[in-house]
Amino acid sequence: MGRYLWVAVLLLGFVPGVVRSTQTPDQPRFTQSVLATGLEHPWEVAWGPDGYLWVSERTGKRISRVNPVDGSTNVAVEIPEAFQSIAQDGVLGLALHPRLLQGTGEDYVYVALTYQEQGSPRLKVRRFSYDQDTRVLMAPVDVIASLPAHDDHLGGRLAIGPDDKLYLGIGDQGGNWLQNYCNPNKAQDLPVAADIEARDWATYEGKVLRLDLDGSIPSDNPSINGVRSHIWSYGHRNPQGLVFGRDGSLYASEHGPSTDDELNLIEPGGNYGWPWVAGYRDDQSYAYFNWSASRPEACGTLTFSTSETPASVPRAMESGWSHPDFKPPLQTLFTVPNDQDFRAQGGGTIAPSSLGIYTVRDGGIPGWADSLLVPGMIKGRMYRQALSADGRSAVGDPVELFRTANRYRDLAISPDGRTIYIATDNTGRTTGRDDEMTQELEHPGAIIQFTYDDE
Ligand SMILES: [Ca+2]
Ligand SMILES: [Ca+2]
């Protein structure tokens, strides 16, 4: 579409159900429309080998299949026993077996969900078998259970690598933060051999795990401090995006505190720094306040604040910590300046709940391969971060796309690379088109599609 025609479309107003998104002239143009509504907190959307979008619904407690042609939705399985009580728990990650519907008999779908165990929330990974005739997920088998879960920073993103291993991000459960400020942060804790022997996964808070498809510990997982466990990398705050590049590299996105959401290249045995470091080790707008270790005043006698910290709370500058396995991020979204007035200006974070990768070359969007795609919840937009040819570094700054008043939860890409599908939260805060905070979401509980307009 030529530039003048584009202006005309904007002036003539909106076609019902179809909105042209605002783009700067040198960016590719997209047509926005709503594919499906009525979803209950869709959490993962994945393009399936059957040409449908597979969707996990966090509070709906089910897995649905959405027809990308007409938006009609079929339920593949209900999971009523999932425990869902707060803003982050329920039916979470969804991963399709790479040979689903390929005739090998491996018609498996993996789901991460929270459940209650002796009155406490826990996370598990369940495998379903997909019956192609009835289009139903059946024969559930729990491949691992009793993983940490709480009321904040749950993680829950699931992915299957080209190595046929399951990867699962688990957050730090909010230790030393907000309502959990008196709970120690265990993102740096590592298991001892006896923990693994006893199948005690309590140290898995703030980790990226790598599991065999049956839930066991892969024999080639790293030995960290002399112990091999499910832990693939550690020192994470809340890693909720996991995606593989063409060469098998694993990328993760991670929520920062009030600054420094991260894009990371995940290396086995890597220490990603949290809670000693947020983003780069640059002493910028972040120091580690260890509320739970407050002495002599016990933490329980203190009132938590993100802006004022009592003297009894131990504090550490980032530069005071170092570790031989520390891995800085490829990019942050965004590192705010030291003089940021968080009360007046807010934080620099976008709340990246997921991560996609654009690798489509021929016929896809020119110039996009390879890029990471980062959906924002607190900022209703998606960012595209270009990668270097070897995929090991970020090139340039993140580019903003798709600004709307929605909380973008997850994304999927059509095989031809010309449509980006984005799942949206039903409720919550985001910045609207004018950058003001709002709770009035334009398309709650929906799949929005952005289709590339060729020139
Ligand atoms: Ca980090
Ligand atoms: Ca930093």
Side-chain angles (χ1 to χ4, degrees):
M1 187 187 292
R3 195 161 299 165
Y4 292 108
L5 183 53
W6 171 247
V7 171
V9 168
L10 288 175
L11 292 175
L12 288 170
F14 300 144
V15 179
V18 176
V19 181
R20 298 282 166 161
S21 61
T22 308
Q23 298 291 332
T24 52
D26 58 342
Q27 292 295 323
R29 299 188 178 94
F30 293 86
T31 298
Q32 176 193 338
S33 61
V34 176
L35 174 65
T37 57
L39 299 165
E40 295 180 52
H41 281 280
W43 205 87
E44 170 100 31
V45 54
W47 185 273
D50 55 352
Y52 276 63
L53 292 162
W54 290 62
V55 181
S56 68
E57 294 178 69
R58 182 174 64 79
T59 62
K61 299 201 273 192
R62 59 191 172 227
I63 307 298
S64 299
R65 292 166 56 254
V66 176
N67 185 335
V69 175
D70 61 10
S72 61
T73 298
N74 299 295
V75 175
V77 68
E78 306 258 10
I79 313 175
E81 66 273 27
F83 179 65
Q84 199 289 305
S85 65
I86 49 149
Q88 296 180 31
D89 61 5
V91 175
L92 303 172
L94 169 73
L96 309 180
H97 194 288
R99 291 179 292 284
L100 174 65
L101 300 175
Q102 305 300 307
T104 64
E106 297 162 290
D107 294 326
Y108 299 131
V109 171
Y110 298 81
V111 179
L113 60 119
T114 48
Y115 71 105
Q116 274 197 305
E117 184 179 274
Q118 295 170 346
S120 297
R122 294 281 185 269
L123 183 70
K124 66 165 69 170
V125 177
R126 177 173 284 182
R127 189 195 80 185
F128 290 95
S129 299
Y130 184 58
D131 185 275
Q132 195 174 355
D133 296 332
T134 57
R135 297 176 183 176
V136 165
L137 288 169
M138 53 207 320
V141 176
D142 289 343
V143 300
I144 192 168
S146 301
L147 295 166
H150 206 259
D151 62 1
D152 202 13
H153 298 180
L154 282 178
R157 190 65 60 190
L158 201 55
I160 299 184
D163 55 0
D164 279 359
K165 305 295 182 190
L166 274 169
Y167 292 77
L168 174 65
I170 299 185
D172 69 359
Q173 318 293 307
N176 283 325
W177 183 251
L178 299 180
Q179 71 269 25
N180 297 303
Y181 68 107
C182 290
N183 294 344
N185 193 294
K186 298 182 187 168
Q188 293 284 327
D189 288 13
L190 293 168
V192 297
D195 296 332
I196 301 308
E197 189 74 22
R199 302 180 65 80
D200 176 351
W201 317 132
T203 55
Y204 287 0
E205 300 181 5
K207 310 296 190 297
V208 172
L209 306 185
R210 178 175 182 258
L211 302 79
D212 282 325
L213 292 178
D214 65 359
S216 55
I217 296 171
S219 58
D220 56 348
N221 265 14
S223 177
I224 308 174
N225 271 8
V227 177
R228 181 172 291 112
S229 69
H230 293 102
I231 297 173
W232 188 243
S233 62
Y234 64 108
H236 296 287
R237 187 170 183 271
N238 193 12
Q240 278 198 315
L242 293 176
V243 73
F244 287 90
R246 284 179 296 119
D247 68 351
S249 296
L250 174 60
Y251 300 92
S253 66
E254 173 165 337
H255 297 271
S258 303
T259 180
D260 291 307
D261 294 330
E262 297 180 355
L263 299 180
N264 287 307
L265 176 62
I266 300 297
E267 312 263 11
N271 181 345
Y272 288 78
W274 185 256
W276 298 104
V277 174
Y280 309 103
R281 203 163 66 92
D282 55 5
D283 291 330
Q284 187 128 321
S285 300
Y286 176 78
Y288 174 33
F289 296 106
N290 189 355
W291 286 81
S292 60
S294 172
R295 297 291 182 275
E297 287 83 10
C299 180
T301 68
L302 308 176
T303 301
F304 181 78
S305 165
T306 55
S307 56
E308 290 165 30
T309 311
S312 63
V313 173
R315 62 198 63 202
M317 300 287 282
E318 291 182 328
S319 57
W321 177 85
S322 65
H323 193 281
D325 298 324
F326 173 59
K327 309 292 179 194
L330 300 183
Q331 180 64 280
T332 61
L333 303 107
F334 292 89
T335 303
V336 302
N338 266 328
D339 59 0
Q340 179 97 347
D341 181 346
F342 286 103
R343 277 186 179 163
Q345 299 165 276
T349 51
I350 70 163
S353 60
S354 187
L355 187 61
I357 189 163
Y358 194 93
T359 59
V360 183
R361 289 170 184 268
D362 296 339
I365 303 167
W368 274 34
D370 292 352
S371 299
L372 295 173
L373 303 180
V374 196
M377 296 192 295
I378 287 181
K379 293 217 174 17
R381 57 202 72 168
M382 188 184 84
Y383 287 90
R384 183 177 70 82
Q385 174 61 59
L387 292 169
S388 60
D390 68 1
R392 299 192 65 81
S393 55
V395 176
D397 293 327
V399 177
E400 181 194 317
L401 294 151
F402 307 160
R403 183 188 290 215
T404 66
N406 288 292
R407 284 169 60 88
Y408 291 159
R409 175 60 65 169
D410 189 27
L411 68 101
I413 304 168
S414 62
D416 67 4
R418 299 170 75 87
T419 300
I420 314 290
Y421 301 94
I422 299 187
T424 61
D425 279 0
N426 292 63
T427 56
R429 291 183 312 144
T430 191
T431 55
R433 293 171 187 265
D434 57 3
D435 234 3
E436 294 292 317
M437 268 298 170
T438 180
Q439 299 203 48
E440 293 195 16
L441 305 176
E442 291 175 9
H443 303 297
I447 306 286
I448 307 176
Q449 59 182 14
F450 294 89
T451 301
Y452 172 56
D453 290 336
D454 235 332
E455 287 294 309

